[in-house]
């Protein structure tokens, strides 16, 4: 786990493939991650074909790692396997609801992170694509995901062809609360964000985006209210279509 | 990461405390987990006090590890820190919506799993409590979670006082799909679940629950349609109350 302290997201990969046996070993070891009732409410769609990567790319704003990475993994919340199992075992499944979606999402995301930790310990580079939840319908259509299956994470994986600087993190005191939640005051916010806002890389980020503050880059450009509200609507629609709402 | 292959969930802990410096080191190293836009949309409430553990216990069906573990960690999806930061930086946050909840949940769950992987590599035992999503309002009230903060995971942690057998897992072929999702047929379901259903421990589980099939234990007793639907409703209500819906 020493790799964690020095890890960074990798977006550029060499031409070298990710060996199938290695990938299978990582996927199988990651199965040791705990899941609800040991039901393993997730599945993984492995994309190696150029054609399918190109179909998935628009769902991820055409970020180049989707088509450049040797392997793209789409991790799905999957209550379908359990449901079909129940249907073939004289049992009446009740998993077409929101709690079940959240339970399966939890299983899928915990599995994903173990898989990434294992992959990085092998020297592989990974990039987690949060875009998976932005336009899920594209992914559902391309991968032909049936009812009670929903994409919750995408990982691009390959051998690193870059060695980027580590990005900053907030101090631990910003993340941790003792016994009860201690709400954020102006003074505490200043304390938490001072170092981040003072970094040259972040000052440049504000400047090239022609904003006054770093926070404005996030609220006005990267993750705007308008986009979030529109994508919330389509996310809820997709959840409904897949049978979870 | 070798610990992963032999890991198991630990529900019984020795009286030995989890040293604060060790815990802080694990919490801080886990911060290397990637998050959306490096915003770190999570927070961790640390419970060591007996009184607070006893208040949290009912939210987890009074499972004994909540009061017995030296440390209980409640990991929250937290868009409040970013929102308060924005408000103090002349920026207009737009995170009171469902996509933002899912983004923060993702950050929180990935962080949680890295933390568990790190803790187990140190010899600590952990138990992931999926009950966190069942009665979130109790947790929200006990920990005084404000708007745009939502509990998504609970971990009990301590030094192992048991050495349980590893539980079974489905074969890798049950979890993985090549290029497109391959739907589950009766034949594939039989193949995936044959070994699980044949295990003595699972046969006993069916017998003591007076059911015909293992699947029925899950659908009729552990995770019923009625419970899932009722808890979905209160989960959605709590999301609404915390400002995410």
């Amino acid at each position: 786990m020493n790799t964690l302290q020095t890890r960074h997201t990798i977006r550029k990969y060499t031409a070298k493939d990710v060996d199938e046996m290695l990938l299978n070993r990582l996927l199988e070891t990651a199965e040791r991650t705990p899941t609800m009732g040991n039901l393993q409410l997730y599945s993984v769609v492995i994309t190696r074909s150029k054609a399918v990567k190109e179909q998935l790319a628009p769902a991820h704003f055409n970020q180049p790692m989707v088509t450049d990475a040797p392997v793209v993994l789409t991790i799905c919340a999957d209550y379908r396997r359990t449901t079909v199992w129940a249907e073939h075992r004289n049992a009446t499944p009740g998993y077409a609801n929101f709690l079940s979606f959240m339970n399966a999402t939890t299983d899928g995301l915990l599995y994903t992170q173990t898989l990434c930790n294992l992959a990085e310990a092998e020297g592989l580079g990974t990039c987690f694509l949060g875009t998976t939840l932005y336009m899920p319908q594209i992914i559902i259509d391309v991968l032909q995901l049936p009812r009670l299956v929903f994409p919750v994470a995408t990982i691009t994986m390959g051998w690193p062809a870059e060695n980027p600087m580590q990005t900053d993190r907030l101090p631990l005191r910003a993340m941790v609360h003792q016994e009860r939640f201690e709400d954020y005051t102006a003074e505490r916010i200043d304390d938490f964000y001072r170092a981040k806002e003072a970094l040259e890389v972040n000052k440049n980020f504000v400047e090239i985006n022609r904003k006054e503050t770093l926070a404005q880059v996030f609220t006005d450009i990267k993750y705007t209210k308008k986009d979030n509200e529109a994508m919330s609507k389509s996310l809820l629609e997709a959840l409904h279509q897949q049978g979870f709402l």
Side-chain angles (χ1 to χ4, degrees), chain A:
Chain A
M1 301 296 293
N2 298 335
T3 45
L4 259 159
Q5 270 157 339
T6 55
R7 78 163 294 283
H8 32 66
T9 289
I10 297 291
R11 294 180 174 82
K12 290 185 179 146
Y13 309 99
T14 69
K16 184 182 169 188
D17 210 350
V18 178
D19 178 71
E20 192 175 348
M21 279 181 60
L22 169 61
L23 180 59
N24 282 347
R25 179 162 59 78
L26 299 173
L27 289 164
E28 192 163 15
T29 306
E31 279 197 63
R32 298 315 315 174
T33 307
T35 62
M36 194 186 77
N38 198 20
L39 286 174
Q40 300 187 253
L41 303 170
Y42 58 84
S43 55
V44 183
V45 185
I46 302 175
T47 308
R48 290 183 183 267
S49 113
K50 190 165 176 289
V52 182
K53 285 176 200 163
E54 282 170 359
Q55 290 176 308
L56 288 173
H60 302 292
F61 296 133
N62 293 306
Q63 292 176 94
M65 53 275 194
V66 177
T67 42
D68 293 353
V71 179
V72 177
L73 302 172
T74 305
I75 295 89
C76 302
D78 181 348
Y79 234 126
R80 185 168 184 85
R81 190 190 308 107
T82 305
T83 295
V84 176
W85 176 48
E87 286 167 350
H88 285 98
R89 295 296 184 269
N90 199 24
T92 308
Y95 307 118
N97 47 63
F98 184 65
L99 178 67
S100 298
F101 167 69
M102 289 303 297
N103 290 332
T105 295
T106 300
D107 281 8
L109 291 173
L110 299 182
Y111 176 85
T112 299
Q113 189 53 26
T114 296
L115 180 66
C116 289
N117 288 339
L118 286 166
E120 291 177 356
E122 292 284 338
L124 284 159
T126 69
C127 179
F128 185 99
L129 303 183
T131 38
T132 311
L133 296 172
Y134 291 5
M135 286 169 278
Q137 195 59 53
I138 298 177
I139 300 172
I140 291 165
D141 292 342
V142 169
L143 302 182
Q144 301 168 5
L145 305 183
R147 193 176 146 82
L148 302 187
V149 179
F150 204 93
V152 295
T154 302
I155 302 294
T156 57
M157 187 185 282
W159 299 101
E162 63 173 349
N163 188 13
M165 279 212 337
Q166 268 205 320
T167 49
D168 66 284
R169 292 293 186 270
L170 294 174
L172 185 61
R173 63 185 180 278
M175 322 311 299
V176 166
H177 304 255
Q178 305 293 338
E179 303 298 338
R180 313 276 182 183
F181 193 94
E182 187 185 348
D183 209 356
Y184 307 120
T185 59
E187 292 69 28
R188 295 185 75 216
I189 289 291
D190 286 347
D191 170 46
F192 298 161
Y193 288 89
R194 188 173 294 120
K196 181 189 269 286
E197 291 171 325
L199 286 175
E200 276 309 314
V201 60
N202 287 333
K203 285 200 223 170
N204 286 342
F205 194 44
V206 175
E207 201 173 297
I208 60 170
N209 283 292
R210 296 162 183 268
K211 289 289 157 191
E212 295 162 25
T213 67
L214 183 60
Q216 286 180 354
V217 181
F218 291 99
T219 59
D220 298 1
I221 298 172
K222 290 202 78 172
Y223 312 111
T224 68
K225 187 169 192 280
K226 190 183 159 204
D227 287 350
N228 283 330
E229 288 177 356
M231 290 190 293
S232 292
K233 193 160 169 280
S234 56
L235 177 55
L236 288 163
E237 279 165 7
L239 276 177
H240 189 264
Q241 198 208 281
Q242 294 307 96
F244 279 123
L245 261 187

